[in-house]
Amino acid sequence: MKLDSKVPGGPLEQKWDKHLKDINLVAPNNKRKYEIIVVGTGLAGGAAAASFAELGYNVRSFCIQDSARRAHSIAAQGGINAAKNYPNDGDSIWRLFYDTIKGGDYRSRESNVYRLAQVSNEIIDQAVAQGVPFAREYGGTLANRSFGGAQVSRTFYARGQTGQQLLLGAYQAMMRQVHTGKIKYHPRHEMLDVVVIDGQARGIITRDLVSGELNRYEADAVVLATGGYGNVFYLSTNAKNSNVTAAWRAHKKGAAFANPCYVQVHPTCIPVSGDYQSKLTLMSESLRNDGRVWVPRKKGDDRHPNDIPEEERYYYLEERYPAFGNLVPRDVASRNAKMVCDDGLGVGETGLAVYLDFRDAIKRDGRDTIEAKYGNLFEMYENIAGENPYKQPMKIYPAVHYTMGGLWVDYNLQTTIPGLYAAGEANFSDHGANRLGASALMQGLSDGYFVLPYTIGDYLAKQEPGKRYGTDHEAFAEAENAAQSKIDKLLNVNGNRTIIDFHRTLGKIVWDKIGIARNAEGLKSAIEEIRELREEFWQNVKVPGEKNNYNKYLEFAGRVADFFELAELMAQDALDREESAGCHLREEYQTEEGEALRNDEEYSYVAAWEYKGLNGKLEEQLHKENLEFEFVELKQRSYK
Amino acid sequence: MSKEMTIHLKYWKQNGPNDAGHFEEYTLDNVNEHMSFLEMLDVLNEELMLADKEPVEFDYDCREGICGSCNLVINGQAHGPKARVAACQLHMRNYKDGDHITIEPPRAAAFPVIKDLVVDRSAFDRIIEAGGYVSVKTGSAGEANAILVEKEKADAAFDYATCIGCGACVAACPNASASLFTGAKIAHLNKLPQGEVERKNRVVAMVDQMKEEGFGDCSNFAECEAVCPVGISISAIAEMRRDYMKAALRGD
């Protein structure tokens, strides 16, 4: 396997324009001869499917939910970044690029991140034209707010439901194309394999989640926009159905998987309350604009938070990071929350929580102002936690939220399998070792609306229009048979332990040993434990029901089986990276102040793993894409 | 410390659209008050599976009230007793020890049962497909601030746009009407200058599609507004009907 990032030469500012000038186009009368499969209907997949169809390509769109509108992008709360500089506070494309590269702790590709910043403005234009009801000022212009890791206000938002509104925009654009017949729409379908013929992606195998039937679909190119793998942790802020299966099975077919150890732990989530817990709920980072994070200075202080006087409150982020205060990036905020709780200063029944307090903001701006900004989030908190955040501080704790790692892609978003593309959270491309708040929506939409529609044409232009191998080709048959035997195997185990029980146990290993902080010893033991548990899974899992029927537990069993394999690769990758970078904190490599200590000499690379086999142990070969920084100077990140 | 309760459940089982369906009963001990309603069902299914019984199927995804997947009718109420929450955000602290809870799918001809509590809501997709969008291609948008939008209008548009498409409005309506769902999308887009252009065609296309899907008409019971987990106002329906009449009378 050879990694060729295909980054165009020339000055950073001109790379994308130059690339657009150089790449091949498909003539309008030829576009209708090509078919593109898009798996996933979140921001990246929905935007890509709609844009491809508008261009005249034939599209097939698949999602596991009962409607494209339910993809997990819908749950993104806080906002979307763009370099519009409407507040006149000194923002620019360069600054958005720089903040993103720095926020990612210099572990992403300069060219990709610069392009992301460049197209960010077009995304806002597009969304407004679609009728996305962004927040506005009294003068009728768009409003902005600030987010972590930036000293400008560049985040556009629709109350605490920005993801929902942007997703509905993409969904509606997509449904318009379903209406024209350019998109064939397949909800409640799960992709189980990618079909590769003569080294090129030529189709997929899906399971109809209602009938249980396996189907074959052929196409000229396949786009995976299937999201991240945060649910490997069992408890995360991801939706329950979010999974790695499409990406993982593509990996096993030859697509390199990059930086699997880069997992973002979001600092402001509602803490775990019990074993029955099925997911964790995020409270938007935007709350850190007005909320102050603190713990009692005294260990075991069990007074009601409102009774703890000012001088006995430890506002640890404000004290330790005076320049950014409560708005430090997510990795820094999460690590600090863990540190104060490890020091015994945590609050709540479990001691694994810190306060996020709006008392001062309410006093300063009035309850109405705070309610207008965060009303729905406060309501959500009260529903779940049963406490009123207008009257007492919220309790929050970090939770797994986003995965920066994903399928390796080149500048065109193509994986190492020609004709197979990955977009949005499913790829590894833009966030390095840590993603800044409000950048996921930007990246998903950038990939879908403004990158793939051009780059996929470059590939298709080189393919013979209308060429078909037919779905009775042996590669389709083999892939379908493999998918079928995996399902049969799961149903035939008939063991004694439930899928959730296995998943929860796996999640605990991954959280404890490949979570906020990692070390060599823990990672090695994680690999052993994962292998043992995986072995037991295949001998003792209990999967109910039938294959030819709606069977949610069967779906889950297949996904958990894939998480078991991915988890081992995450540990391997974390073990290989003997440095700390962004969200990847190796306890052996820290500054004296407990900040992540990078080793640019040896680890300034993207770790791209090639699947070699699975036989008790996961065999993977490491390929390195060296990151060259021509335009920014690598520095120790400082938010002090 | 948190409280534990015993809950008597009665839930709908139906193997596909052609099966008659029936209720089954089960008593759960040790229901923690902090559990969400769906977590309680997870626990039910764990117990059923360990006893070699078939679990009950229900739709869910985000479990934070925004994806609109869950659509349970709990003791006759869509999303249960608590106002302005989806079933996934209903917590067991709203119940007491010994309570009896009946769980059914939404009952509407336009939402056929797939299995147990899971129904087919693709009719909603087809209503949006008929016209629930602004016809703007990627890349053709002008500068975002070129068209100013009054804050009040943008806020009002948001209030309608917040619909999660769960179908509680249909479940609660004695006519199984989808008027609140359809009206909400129409009102969202009408409030904005970007949506104004296609106002007339949109309302006709979407209302006609709604009828074609077999949803009933609106008789102003306002049950939909009462159960809507995001508080969509019934004024959306009045606006939709007014616009439809106007567009139909003009004959275009």
Side-chain angles (χ1 to χ4, degrees):
Chain A
M1 179 181 285
K2 206 173 133 274
L3 300 176
D4 177 4
S5 65
K6 302 211 176 88
V7 172
L12 191 58
E13 297 82 356
Q14 291 168 24
K15 283 180 195 287
W16 180 230
D17 288 344
K18 181 177 175 305
H19 193 59
L20 289 179
K21 203 174 72 201
D22 293 344
I23 59 180
N24 293 294
L25 297 174
V26 179
N29 58 341
N30 270 340
K31 286 201 177 90
R32 70 177 77 98
K33 296 178 187 158
Y34 292 104
E35 181 145 330
I36 307 172
I37 284 173
V38 182
V39 187
T41 58
L43 290 177
S51 305
F52 292 153
E54 287 165 6
L55 286 169
Y57 294 114
N58 300 304
V59 179
R60 272 187 199 275
S61 157
F62 296 84
C63 67
I64 52 175
Q65 295 86 354
D66 74 318
S67 165
R69 64 177 294 150
R70 307 204 201 282
H72 186 53
S73 304
I74 203 150
Q77 297 171 356
I80 176 165
N81 288 328
K84 287 280 194 186
N85 192 33
Y86 288 154
N88 196 30
D89 55 0
D91 201 6
S92 62
I93 288 169
W94 174 267
R95 202 177 279 276
L96 173 54
F97 154 74
Y98 184 76
D99 286 347
T100 309
I101 279 272
K102 176 187 171 191
D105 216 358
Y106 308 96
R107 289 292 174 263
S108 39
R109 233 184 247 151
E110 277 181 330
S111 54
N112 284 56
V113 179
Y114 195 85
R115 174 177 66 191
L116 176 66
Q118 272 177 307
V119 303
S120 67
N121 292 338
E122 289 176 73
I123 297 169
I124 303 303
D125 298 342
Q126 180 66 25
V128 167
Q130 288 172 341
V132 169
F134 282 122
R136 289 184 181 262
E137 305 290 353
Y138 282 100
T141 54
L142 292 159
N144 289 106
R145 62 183 169 202
S146 359
F147 250 61
Q151 286 170 314
V152 293
S153 288
R154 62 161 73 100
T155 304
F156 294 79
Y157 63 99
R159 261 172 250 175
Q161 288 158 243
T162 318
Q164 181 198 28
Q165 294 308 316
L166 290 169
L167 181 69
L168 292 179
Y171 160 74
Q172 288 164 200
M174 207 186 117
M175 293 318 281
R176 187 166 84 93
Q177 296 304 320
V178 172
H179 196 57
T180 68
K182 289 306 284 182
I183 297 181
K184 295 200 174 61
Y185 171 52
H186 303 271
R188 292 203 199 266
H189 276 67
E190 177 162 31
M191 181 192 122
L192 294 182
D193 210 349
V194 56
V195 177
V196 180
I197 301 176
D198 292 341
Q200 289 177 304
R202 298 293 317 191
I204 60 171
I205 304 296
T206 63
R207 181 168 182 267
D208 177 331
L209 300 180
V210 175
S211 68
E213 203 182 336
L214 298 191
N215 291 306
R216 307 171 184 188
Y217 294 97
E218 187 175 8
D220 298 281
V222 176
V223 176
L224 301 186
T226 48
Y229 49 87
N231 271 344
V232 64
F233 288 84
Y234 184 67
L235 286 182
S236 83
T237 66
N238 284 187
K240 290 300 288 174
N241 293 296
S242 300
N243 68 81
V244 78
T245 288
W248 188 254
R249 296 192 182 180
H251 172 58
K252 291 174 85 170
K253 274 284 167 78
F257 206 104
N259 300 332
C261 80
Y262 291 161
V263 174
Q264 180 163 78
V265 179
H266 195 290
T268 52
C269 301
I270 302 178
V272 179
S273 64
D275 277 345
Y276 50 80
Q277 191 127 5
S278 61
K279 79 153 282 165
L280 297 171
T281 303
L282 177 89
M283 291 279 103
S284 168
E285 171 165 314
S286 61
L287 292 169
R288 287 196 275 140
N289 270 302
D290 287 296
R292 299 179 70 194
V293 177
W294 65 278
V295 287
R297 283 193 188 278
K298 218 168 46 200
K299 268 187 206 182
D301 190 339
D302 55 6
R303 282 176 290 178
H304 189 278
N306 292 350
D307 298 333
I308 300 181
E310 193 64 15
E311 61 279 9
E312 292 181 49
R313 297 172 169 209
Y314 179 23
Y315 294 97
Y316 57 91
L317 290 177
E318 296 174 24
E319 286 186 29
R320 298 186 49 155
Y321 306 93
F324 281 71
N326 292 298
L327 284 176
V328 291
R330 293 177 174 175
D331 54 339
V332 178
S334 290
R335 197 175 305 144
N336 278 275
K338 182 177 187 301
M339 272 163 51
V340 294
C341 291
D342 287 351
D343 288 346
L345 298 175
V347 301
E349 268 184 44
T350 58
L352 291 176
V354 300
Y355 291 126
L356 178 64
D357 199 341
F358 291 86
R359 182 193 66 178
D360 298 347
I362 291 169
K363 212 183 291 170
R364 182 186 67 224
D365 300 335
R367 184 185 152 130
D368 290 352
T369 306
I370 296 301
E371 190 172 345
K373 281 192 197 169
Y374 311 115
N376 67 318
L377 298 171
F378 278 37
E379 232 177 85
M380 192 195 278
Y381 180 85
E382 190 171 357
N383 273 328
I384 295 171
E387 290 173 354
N388 180 350
Y390 293 103
K391 298 203 168 130
Q392 67 185 85
M394 289 182 179
K395 287 193 210 68
I396 55 162
Y397 197 65
V400 171
H401 176 56
Y402 186 90
T403 52
M404 281 73 66
L407 293 174
W408 184 90
V409 288
D410 64 15
Y411 191 67
N412 295 318
L413 306 184
Q414 187 167 262
T415 67
T416 52
I417 300 175
L420 181 70
Y421 291 77
E425 194 179 350
N427 73 30
F428 87 105
S429 69
D430 296 345
H431 308 295
N434 175 52
R435 178 174 66 71
L436 290 184
S439 284
L441 303 187
M442 173 171 68
Q443 187 225 332
L445 290 177
S446 157
D447 289 358
Y449 285 135
F450 296 112
V451 179
L452 279 174
Y454 302 110
T455 61
I456 210 162
D458 185 46
Y459 171 80
L460 292 174
K462 295 169 206 152
Q463 310 304 314
E464 187 190 321
K467 178 170 175 159
R468 289 287 171 270
Y469 292 86
T471 52
D472 44 8
H473 187 279
E474 57 177 6
F476 276 96
E478 273 169 31
E480 186 187 322
N481 291 342
Q484 188 60 65
S485 45
K486 191 156 193 173
I487 290 169
D488 293 339
K489 198 172 157 193
L490 285 165
L491 281 164
N492 289 338
V493 176
N494 210 10
N496 296 314
R497 253 179 106 174
T498 63
I499 303 153
I500 289 183
D501 189 6
F502 275 109
H503 194 180
R504 193 188 283 126
T505 312
L506 171 68
K508 191 163 172 359
I509 300 170
V510 184
W511 174 249
D512 286 345
K513 295 180 172 167
I514 327 172
I516 300 180
R518 298 105 184 246
N519 60 56
E521 197 191 338
L523 290 166
K524 283 178 194 153
S525 73
I527 291 175
E528 293 306 317
E529 288 173 53
I530 291 163
R531 285 178 185 159
E532 263 170 51
L533 193 65
R534 186 170 61 215
E535 193 74 25
E536 195 201 327
F537 174 83
W538 284 105
Q539 282 164 15
N540 197 22
V541 70
K542 191 178 193 68
V543 183
E546 316 146 329
K547 62 183 169 189
N548 295 321
N549 201 345
Y550 186 92
N551 185 348
K552 196 129 187 153
Y553 286 94
L554 176 59
E555 296 168 29
F556 274 109
R559 296 169 194 163
V560 172
D562 291 334
F563 281 137
F564 265 112
E565 297 174 12
L566 166 78
E568 185 173 341
L569 183 61
M570 288 167 67
Q572 235 177 8
D573 186 44
L575 197 55
D576 169 72
R577 192 164 285 280
E578 293 183 345
E579 64 161 352
S580 294
C583 288
H584 170 64
L585 182 82
R586 279 285 297 265
E587 288 169 336
E588 304 95 315
Y589 311 101
Q590 304 184 55
T591 65
E592 275 174 22
E593 291 155 316
E595 304 294 341
L597 185 61
R598 291 196 323 268
N599 177 349
D600 294 331
E601 286 284 298
E602 290 174 86
Y603 290 95
S604 189
Y605 62 75
V606 175
W609 298 88
E610 182 185 4
Y611 178 80
K612 289 288 181 187
L614 177 74
N615 192 4
K617 293 175 181 178
L618 182 71
E619 306 285 348
E620 297 265 351
Q621 187 183 342
L622 174 63
H623 300 270
K624 297 175 183 177
E625 180 200 340
N626 283 319
L627 292 169
E628 275 149 38
F629 292 89
E630 288 179 70
F631 305 95
V632 297
E633 189 195 341
L634 272 65
K635 287 184 185 159
Q636 169 68 35
R637 254 180 353 151
S638 171
Y639 292 96
K640 290 194 186 272
Chain B
M1 287 308 284
S2 43
K3 235 175 29 199
E4 306 240 305
M5 304 174 272
T6 295
I7 299 285
H8 306 285
L9 294 171
K10 192 170 146 192
Y11 55 89
W12 187 252
K13 287 291 290 174
Q14 183 177 340
N15 194 11
N18 302 320
D19 179 29
H22 63 280
F23 280 108
E24 284 186 12
E25 294 185 20
Y26 195 92
T27 295
L28 274 181
D29 303 315
N30 313 324
V31 173
N32 186 294
E33 60 170 333
H34 295 308
M35 275 180 191
S36 72
F37 197 86
L38 302 190
E39 284 166 349
M40 185 266 298
L41 291 182
D42 290 342
V43 172
L44 165 72
N45 278 344
E46 291 287 286
E47 291 196 12
L48 289 172
M49 285 187 281
L50 287 173
D52 280 322
K53 289 186 186 140
E54 203 186 63
V56 57
E57 298 284 0
F58 57 103
D59 245 332
Y60 57 86
D61 201 12
C62 78
R63 297 202 173 189
E64 51 189 76
I66 193 75
C67 76
S69 293
C70 60
N71 59 347
L72 304 175
V73 175
I74 302 165
N75 285 343
Q77 273 181 298
H79 293 306
K82 196 157 191 281
R84 299 216 44 188
V85 295
C88 63
Q89 292 217 287
L90 176 66
H91 281 69
M92 295 311 292
R93 67 179 79 93
N94 293 288
Y95 293 92
K96 54 183 195 309
D97 193 29
D99 271 358
H100 290 257
I101 301 177
T102 303
I103 310 165
E104 294 167 89
R107 312 263 186 199
F111 288 169
V113 170
I114 290 175
K115 190 157 197 281
D116 304 344
L117 305 168
V118 177
V119 298
D120 179 354
R121 284 170 289 184
S122 55
F124 272 11
D125 276 339
R126 290 187 292 273
I127 292 174
I128 298 297
E129 195 191 312
Y133 39 73
V134 175
S135 300
V136 54
K137 282 188 178 182
T138 304
S140 58
E143 151 58 40
N145 259 347
I147 300 173
L148 301 180
V149 181
E150 284 168 61
K151 187 180 182 333
E152 291 76 10
K153 281 196 178 162
D155 288 347
F158 179 92
D159 288 338
Y160 291 116
T162 192
C163 166
I164 61 173
C166 62
C169 46
V170 176
C173 177
N175 303 345
S177 172
S179 290
L180 192 66
F181 169 80
T182 310
K185 184 46 65 192
I186 290 170
H188 154 215
L189 294 172
N190 281 358
K191 293 273 177 280
L192 297 169
Q194 290 82 3
E196 177 67 29
V197 182
E198 295 168 279
R199 183 174 187 137
K200 290 197 191 81
N201 292 343
R202 179 183 303 121
V203 70
V204 173
M206 292 179 74
V207 169
D208 289 352
Q209 187 65 37
M210 175 176 79
K211 290 180 191 159
E212 194 162 309
E213 295 293 343
F215 292 106
D217 206 353
C218 169
S219 315
N220 290 317
F221 291 108
E223 292 292 335
C224 53
E225 187 184 72
V227 298
C228 177
V230 291
I232 304 281
S233 160
I234 197 173
S235 59
I237 300 179
E239 194 176 314
M240 173 175 80
R241 299 182 126 196
R242 208 166 46 233
D243 270 21
Y244 186 79
M245 287 305 287
K246 268 203 261 178
L249 283 176
R250 276 180 47 144
D252 57 13

